[in-house]
Amino acid sequence: MAARILRYFADGNTALGFYSLFESNLQGLRRIFILKGGPGTGKSSLMNAIGTEWAERGYDIELIHCSSDKDSIDGVIIPALGVGIVDGTAPHVIEPKAPGAAREYVNLGEVWDSAALISQREIIEELNRKAADAYAAAYSRFAEALNIHDEWEKIYFEHMDFGRADQLTALMLEQLFGEANLQRSADVKHRFLGAATPAGSVDFVPNLTEGLWRRFFLKGRAGTGKSTILRTIASEAEKRGFDTEIYHCGFDPHSLDMVIVRELDFAIFDSTSPHEYYPEREGDVIVDTYEAVVAPGTDERLAGPLEEVSTQYKATMKTAIAALAEAKVHRDELKKIYIAAIDFSVVDAARNRISAELASMQA
């Protein structure tokens, strides 16, 4: 049987700044390797290589992608071994407090030719400053966009039938859970459904929901109760003892975008832009909160104000993404400088040492 590779984000560039949910995904691990080292020191490549190695051995793995570079890896987890390897450098500084987990810091800063870097110190400092300024600009614009989105939500919120919303939620709970109850403590993981990246919005919904029999696509408008429904479902799953994956919104971490309960074979998620999907297989169901709980004709009656707020929101988000892209340009320039000063044999030695230790755990 082929290994399953689960992909997700555990941190994000959000309206609240850089926001991390990493800690939740490290709970229960026996061993955590924390990689230290600046840009271009081979951390992502090391984790990718080890993940690939163990997937080829038939082990399910989890790849945690970087929200500032979707093609880069911030962590790899091998659940069957109880092992995680994570990037522990800024901005995702990870100091896991998982009880019982042995932690080891792997310093990849030793791979640099310090003399070569000292000669370019002023350039490095300037690129770091420019990257920091670009991230600050992005977070400021995301915060502005959230305020606009709140106004968007208010328009629909004022035209909701809350009695019908409660009925819809109760119906969903009955359909998803019935009388099922495990009467044990649930394992709950908090992650992000997607992320705002320099390349725009990115998500792994098809990967995360692959193989699940029931997928519920929440359609609707801003402020029509999708996150509230998801929060209620997540709470019910935990109360009944089912292991639950809770996926937060990559734009507003306080909002939820998806809940997965694999023991009950279902996922329910906000399937509106920027993570819009449609049913494509048996077991896929659309739940439209606009049709179910909002006064008919609201879109038509308020077309003008809705178009105005939508335009403002999209324009502000576009400038925020542009700032992230600018930050990546500066970070990429930094990586080039560091890569030119790296002794990759040291990186290979670190990877081989970790691989050998994992092999001994397998035995």
Side-chain angles (χ1 to χ4, degrees), residues 144-193:
E144 183 180 342
L146 181 58
N147 289 333
I148 297 170
H149 198 271
D150 287 344
E151 294 301 315
W152 197 352
E153 289 184 345
K154 286 179 184 179
I155 295 175
Y156 286 107
F157 191 79
E158 293 171 354
H159 295 83
M160 279 181 59
D161 184 326
F162 292 96
R164 291 175 64 183
D166 290 342
Q167 291 173 5
L168 175 61
T169 303
L171 180 64
M172 291 298 303
L173 292 177
E174 175 61 30
Q175 187 173 2
L176 294 172
F177 298 101
E179 299 299 320
N181 196 322
L182 296 183
Q183 296 185 340
R184 63 168 168 80
S185 179
D187 181 20
V188 179
K189 303 293 187 185
H190 290 267
R191 300 162 176 166
F192 284 105
L193 173 69

Side-chain angles (χ1 to χ4, degrees), residues 292-312:
V293 307
V294 178
T298 296
D299 278 348
E300 292 74 16
R301 289 194 306 273
L302 300 173
L306 288 169
E307 176 62 26
E308 181 179 352
V309 73
S310 173
T311 299
Q312 290 177 352

